[in-house]
Amino acid sequence: MAAHIGRRLRKGAATTAVAAAAVAALSASQAPGATVDDQGRQSTGDATSAPDTAADDSATGNSPYYTDLPPLNSPNPSPSEGSGDAGDQRAGEAGIPATVLDAYKQAEATLREKKPGCNLPWQLLAAIGKVESGQARGGRVTADGTTVTPILGPQLDGNGFALIRDTDNGAYDGNRMYDQAVGPMQFIPSTWDWAGRDGNGDGRKDPNNIYDAALAAGHYLCRFDWDLSQQGDLRKAILSYNNSTDYLNTVLSWLEFYRRGTHEIPDGTGALPVDRSDDTARPGVTPSAPGTTPPARPGKPSGSRPSPSPAAPGNGGSPSTPPVTPPPTTPPTPTDTVHHLEDAGTGTLTAMAGHTFAERISARAETEAGKAVAKVRIRFTIVGDTDTTFAGGESVATVTTDASGVAVAPALQAGERTGAFAVQAAVAGRSVKGVPYKATVTERVADALALVGEKEPTCVAGGEFAEPVQVKATYRGEAAGRVAVTATLVRSADDPAENDEGPYFKDADGKAVRSLTGLKTDADGQLTLPKLYADDTAGTFLLRLTTAGGATLDVKLTVEPAATPSPDPDPAPSTDPAPSTDPSTEPSETPAS
């Protein structure tokens, strides 16, 4: 396997020392405790904090990784720095295969939209991809991002590695005895089962596809509401991926290197690392390259019968077969001793939509004799037609049992979908009796309604109310958002039947309606009703508002009579002339002839 490493880190204590030196050198221009984001901004954080993470609770199962470090100089040297091997090394290490680089940047863009508070830089995905698989073995991927051949870590059989028995029946890693880390981001099957994502839109979640794996890694690093622009959360996220301080320092060194500059290179031409963290885990065994079948353990046949050795001098020429040393006996792990799980006193699991469940699920791992088992990973999985999640937005959470054998799941966060669902507790890596928990999400409710404003609505018969009715719903004194409300114009306080006269609303066709359903308060618990109109009936009327939960409010509506014309008390004088009383003007009588 070609490598472009000028100075290769070896083993042991030197790993941590050199890694720390690399980080220090790459960060020399920063303020103490500061980290630089992809825009060159600095932020400070806790440079020494580390998460309280169980050793076997990680994305990779703490599988081996590449320990090669980047050059300490800038990945984009100036001409004054010279050329030759050192420059070629820097350029080679800073080059990321085109498809792999695109996958990292697409994952960053998706997480910027889905989880903006995480502040995931694509350079972190590149750093992890470098130490996990050498950027998908130098970018040996097809056009859709799938690796040319599967990338598999060694089987996690407890011999030099963690012990994780098969959890996927060989579906991802082809191994029905033990799990192996899979793909360019090296997910173990039990983690991929819930963390896997479809990053290239083909409808599949393939751990050997760089788009799928990069997006899954991004979601994994962004769980628990971590903000990766903060040094403390960044360290926690990296250590949750592989719980090793050496791993943390190696990833940080590549992160800072890539932040100083990278460039796109053709697929399949990336620099390949060679040193791995398991170089000395199995004496006498050469670590396998990514994607190759793990070598047999010392003393264990590799699949074919060993050839007889040549005749030794002085033994008469008879061939002899070297003795086969049986593999060492692996002591049972805590997980091996678990016989079943028991409910550890979980109460009723009920919460209103949009609220956090007050009760948390707890399970206890026990032996067949009922003895508690500590340090066992318990996987809690939400199943059913629900949008409820654990804190952090995931539907699966893995928690390690404490000294009393109990694992307490993260708090459940109810979504908007009401109804029943279940949470299944199971032992990671074992097929033993688990525990199902029933949970229910109820609709949002309010226990009080109040009119916004002090003026009671009024209008004139045949007109319309100038101001719409506004109300606010609360629950236990807090604003009750997205609560269903019904508005009905009732006959009286004692008669809830719908009125057939007086004020009314209008439907989409402009017809009068006196009852409205499907109304909901906003996030602040407020609701503004549609405009009200009045027919020709004057008087006092009631608008009754009710909510889920039983809150009721009667709003008085006053309709005043319309004004009518009044008779004129002083009519204007006539313009016709009055008849004359002057005798001289009277017509004379004509005697009858």
Side-chain angles (χ1 to χ4, degrees), residues 73-437:
N73 296 317
S74 168
N76 295 319
S78 64
S80 62
E81 290 181 305
S83 59
D85 292 342
D88 293 342
Q89 177 195 349
R90 290 191 292 271
E93 293 296 353
I96 299 179
T99 300
V100 178
L101 181 61
D102 182 58
Y104 296 150
K105 292 185 175 181
Q106 281 199 29
E108 179 197 52
T110 299
L111 269 297
R112 188 184 302 124
E113 176 185 353
K114 299 294 185 182
K115 294 187 177 182
C118 179
N119 295 309
L120 171 77
W122 66 261
Q123 291 93 337
L124 176 58
L125 298 176
I128 291 176
K130 179 69 174 183
V131 303
E132 294 293 352
S133 67
Q135 310 296 21
R137 295 201 303 267
R140 293 184 61 219
V141 296
T142 59
D144 69 347
T146 303
T147 57
V148 176
T149 56
I151 299 177
L152 295 175
Q155 65 180 14
L156 301 174
D157 56 9
N159 186 21
F161 310 119
L163 174 60
I164 303 180
R165 301 190 187 279
D166 176 54
T167 62
D168 65 331
N169 199 29
Y172 295 118
D173 54 16
N175 190 334
R176 296 187 179 184
M177 292 186 64
Y178 302 98
D179 274 350
Q180 295 173 245
V182 182
M185 304 304 277
Q186 289 289 278
F187 280 95
I188 55 175
S190 59
T191 301
W192 181 262
D193 189 52
W194 62 267
R197 295 292 192 277
D198 177 14
N200 63 351
D202 64 356
R204 300 175 59 232
K205 299 177 182 178
D206 182 3
N208 279 300
N209 181 278
I210 186 58
Y211 288 98
D212 295 359
L215 183 58
H219 275 279
Y220 187 92
L221 294 165
C222 286
R223 71 199 195 287
F224 302 137
D225 294 327
W226 282 329
D227 179 358
L228 302 185
S229 67
Q230 300 297 318
Q231 190 76 351
D233 283 358
L234 174 66
R235 292 171 62 88
K236 291 176 185 178
I238 296 173
L239 284 168
S240 78
Y241 210 89
N242 190 315
N243 192 27
S244 161
T245 301
D246 289 348
Y247 180 87
L248 169 68
N249 290 334
T250 305
V251 170
L252 286 175
S253 68
W254 282 106
L255 170 61
E256 297 303 327
F257 182 76
Y258 287 140
R259 276 175 166 163
R260 289 173 175 264
T262 59
H263 58 275
E264 179 182 297
I265 60 175
D267 289 343
T269 63
L272 300 177
V274 294
D275 290 319
R276 295 211 318 177
S277 60
D278 64 333
D279 279 358
T280 59
R282 296 182 178 188
V285 179
T286 302
S288 59
T292 61
T293 302
R297 294 191 298 274
K300 180 176 180 179
S302 61
S304 59
R305 183 181 299 277
S307 300
S309 62
N315 65 0
S318 301
S320 62
T321 301
V324 176
T325 304
T329 301
T330 303
T333 66
T335 301
D336 293 328
T337 66
V338 177
H339 177 265
H340 62 274
L341 293 180
E342 292 286 348
D343 179 9
T346 306
T348 302
L349 296 169
T350 302
M352 189 190 308
H355 289 240
T356 301
F357 281 71
E359 188 73 18
R360 292 173 64 177
I361 298 172
S362 57
R364 174 183 163 95
E366 296 183 355
T367 64
E368 187 172 7
K371 184 179 179 181
V373 185
K375 298 182 179 180
V376 174
R377 294 188 304 152
I378 306 299
R379 184 180 301 111
F380 299 92
T381 306
I382 298 173
V383 295
D385 185 16
T386 183
D387 55 354
T388 295
T389 64
F390 290 110
E394 303 292 350
S395 61
V396 177
T398 302
V399 181
T400 303
T401 57
D402 59 18
S404 62
V406 174
V408 180
L412 287 167
Q413 178 65 43
E416 294 301 319
R417 194 172 302 164
T418 60
F421 65 96
V423 177
Q424 182 70 39
V427 178
R430 286 289 307 279
S431 296
V432 300
K433 180 184 176 184
V435 181
Y437 299 83

